[in-house]
Amino acid sequence: MDVITVTDLAKTYRTPFRRRRVDALKGVSFTVARGEVFGFLGPNGAGKTTTIRCLMGLCAISGGKAEILGAPVPSRAARQRMGFLPEQPYFYDYLTVSELLDLGGRLAGMGAADRRARADKLIVRVGLDHARGLALKKFSKGMLQRAGLALALINDPELVVLDEPMSGLDPIGRKEVRDLILEERDAGKTVFFSSHILSDVESLCDRVAICVGGKIKDIGRPRDLVDATTTETEVRLALADDADAAAVAALTARGTRARRTAGELLLTVGGGVDVDAVLAAAHAAGGKVIAVTPRHETLEDLFLRRVADQGAREVLR
Ligand SMILES: Nc1ncnc2c1ncn2[C@@H]1O[C@H](COP(=O)(O)OP(=O)(O)OP(=O)(O)O)[C@@H](O)[C@H]1O
Ligand SMILES: [Mg+2]
C-alpha cells in the first residue's frame, strides 16, 4: 500500500504584491510504499522543501493532488500518524528538550506516563542525554537538529518526513541519523527525507527521486538509476622511481591519466581498454600491482549530470 501519493503537484509562489510568480513545482508525481526509505534529492532551490510543505499542509497546493495515509492533504487524522522535521526547526528558547518533547507528545494526544517514557528513550537515542537540563537556546545547531528529530518521533509515527535531517550534523551525527532511519525502517515504518548528501542517500534508500527545477528527473532504486557499465578502471602499481623510462612511457600511453608519486603509479584506463594488456605492460616496466578498481557511475555522477543538463537548458533559454 502506498503511504504517500503525489500526482502532478504544482506550486506557484507569488511574491509580495503579486509582482512575480515563481513556479517552484511544475507537475511532480511519485508514490512512496509502506516500509520504504525514500530519498528526495535535488540541488538548492529544486523544490524539495516546497514539496514537503505541500505534503504537510503548510502551504496551499496550486495544482494536482497529494494523499498521505489514504487521506487527501491536509488531513488532521493523517497528521497524527506522522512525524515531521522541518528544514529549520524553531523551538521555544526557554524550554529544555524534555519539556519540548512533553509538549509535542501532549499535542499528539499522548498520556502523561506514555509521553515521559517515550521522551526519555528518545533523548538517549538522539544523543542528548547530557543536555537534558539545558535550555534549547543554549543548544548548538547540531543539538537542535537532534532535538527536532526526537520531536518528529515522539508519537511513534507510521510515517516520518524529514527535511534535510543530516544538515548541521558532524560525520558522527550523520551516521547516527542514518542508523536511526534504518531502525525506523526495521520497525516497519516509512521514512521520506530530502537531502543533497548523496553518499548518505545511496546506502540508505530503497528508492530515490531526483528533482531539478521543480520536476522529477529520475525515480527508482539507486542501483537501477546509475549506469552499471564500467566507465574506467584504475590500476595502482608499486613502481620504483628509477624504473625504465621507455617502458613506463609505453605503459602510461595506454591510459587516459597517469599520476606518479613516490614509489607508486596510478593509471586510469578507459572502459573499453584490455586491462590484461595494461597489466602486462606494467610488469614489463617493473611495476607490481597493488589494486585494480573498476569504476561505475555513482548516484553523485548521475546527480551532477542532471543538474548540468538543467543548467545548460537554462542558459539556452
Ligand atoms: N515563500 C516563498 N516565496 C517565493 N518563492 C519561494 C518561497 N519558498 C520557496 N520559493 C522558491 O521556490 C523554489 C524552490 O524552493 P525550495 O525551498 O522548495 O527548494 P529546496 O529544494 O528545498 O532547496 P534547498 O536545498 O536550498 O533547501 C526556489 O526557487 C525558491 O526561491
Ligand atoms: Mg529545502
Side-chain angles (χ1 to χ4, degrees), residues 79-273:
R79 190 71 186 81
Q80 292 209 325
R81 291 159 63 196
M82 57 197 290
F84 171 48
L85 171 75
E87 186 170 42
Q88 281 164 338
Y90 174 79
F91 307 126
Y92 302 106
D93 277 355
Y94 292 92
L95 295 182
T96 64
V97 62
S98 312
E99 288 162 349
L100 174 75
L101 296 187
D102 193 70
L103 183 64
R106 205 183 280 245
L107 291 173
M110 297 165 70
D114 203 13
R115 293 200 301 266
R116 198 165 314 125
R118 180 91 184 142
D120 264 347
K121 237 200 257 165
L122 280 171
I123 289 171
V124 174
R125 201 162 152 211
V126 299
L128 287 176
D129 204 17
H130 64 288
R132 274 175 194 270
L134 206 63
L136 292 172
K137 67 172 176 164
K138 294 187 178 155
F139 273 32
S140 71
K141 191 173 169 208
M143 288 164 78
L144 281 174
Q145 188 76 354
R146 287 158 191 260
L149 274 165
L151 185 61
L153 297 174
I154 188 69
N155 56 339
D156 196 15
E158 287 171 54
L159 166 66
V160 194
V161 175
L162 310 168
D163 197 354
E164 306 275 355
M166 278 87 169
S167 107
L169 295 177
D170 59 22
I172 303 164
R174 273 164 49 191
K175 164 136 190 4
E176 287 169 357
V177 172
R178 284 203 303 273
D179 291 346
L180 202 100
I181 289 175
L182 291 175
E183 281 170 34
E184 288 299 304
R185 198 226 13 220
D186 291 346
K189 309 300 172 64
T190 309
V191 183
F192 177 90
F193 73 101
S194 74
S195 182
H196 29 60
I197 304 175
L198 294 155
S199 50
D200 285 340
V201 168
E202 196 157 23
S203 57
L204 198 59
C205 294
D206 298 306
R207 282 194 309 138
V208 300
I210 299 180
C211 177
V212 183
K215 286 191 189 139
I216 303 282
K217 299 287 172 184
D218 299 272
I219 185 160
R221 296 191 301 176
R223 79 179 116 118
D224 294 341
L225 291 183
V226 297
D227 186 349
T229 52
T230 301
T231 47
E232 52 186 24
T233 302
E234 278 181 359
V235 179
R236 208 169 133 218
L237 304 168
L239 185 70
D241 294 338
D242 58 357
D244 178 63
V248 172
L251 168 63
T252 53
R254 292 174 178 272
T256 47
R257 288 193 301 280
R259 201 172 73 227
R260 201 157 174 193
T261 50
E264 278 193 20
L265 175 74
L266 183 68
L267 185 67
T268 306
V269 297
V273 173

Side-chain angles (χ1 to χ4, degrees), residues 1-6 30-38 159 190-192 207:
M1 186 209 144
D2 289 331
V3 172
I4 302 179
T5 312
V6 172
F30 62 87
T31 58
V32 179
R34 184 176 295 280
E36 252 188 331
V37 176
F38 192 99
L159 166 66
T190 309
V191 183
F192 177 90
R207 282 194 309 138

Side-chain angles (χ1 to χ4, degrees), residues 11 13-16 20 22-25 40-53 87 163-164 194-196 211 214:
K11 173 68 188 174
Y13 289 109
R14 288 175 199 282
T15 49
R20 214 165 62 85
V22 179
D23 292 319
L25 301 178
F40 198 49
L41 315 178
N44 292 133
K48 304 182 296 295
T49 297
T50 301
T51 304
I52 290 175
R53 282 171 54 82
E87 186 170 42
D163 197 354
E164 306 275 355
S194 74
S195 182
H196 29 60
C211 177

Side-chain angles (χ1 to χ4, degrees), residues 261-317:
T261 50
E264 278 193 20
L265 175 74
L266 183 68
L267 185 67
T268 306
V269 297
V273 173
D274 176 6
V275 176
D276 284 334
V278 175
L279 295 182
H283 285 302
K288 280 200 161 44
V289 176
I290 299 173
V292 176
T293 319
R295 277 211 7 110
H296 307 287
E297 188 182 53
T298 62
L299 200 55
E300 179 155 1
D301 297 329
L302 174 68
F303 182 86
L304 293 173
R305 197 144 55 80
R306 289 292 182 254
V307 175
D309 289 351
Q310 177 76 13
R313 224 168 299 129
E314 263 160 23
V315 169
L316 287 175
R317 220 192 279 148

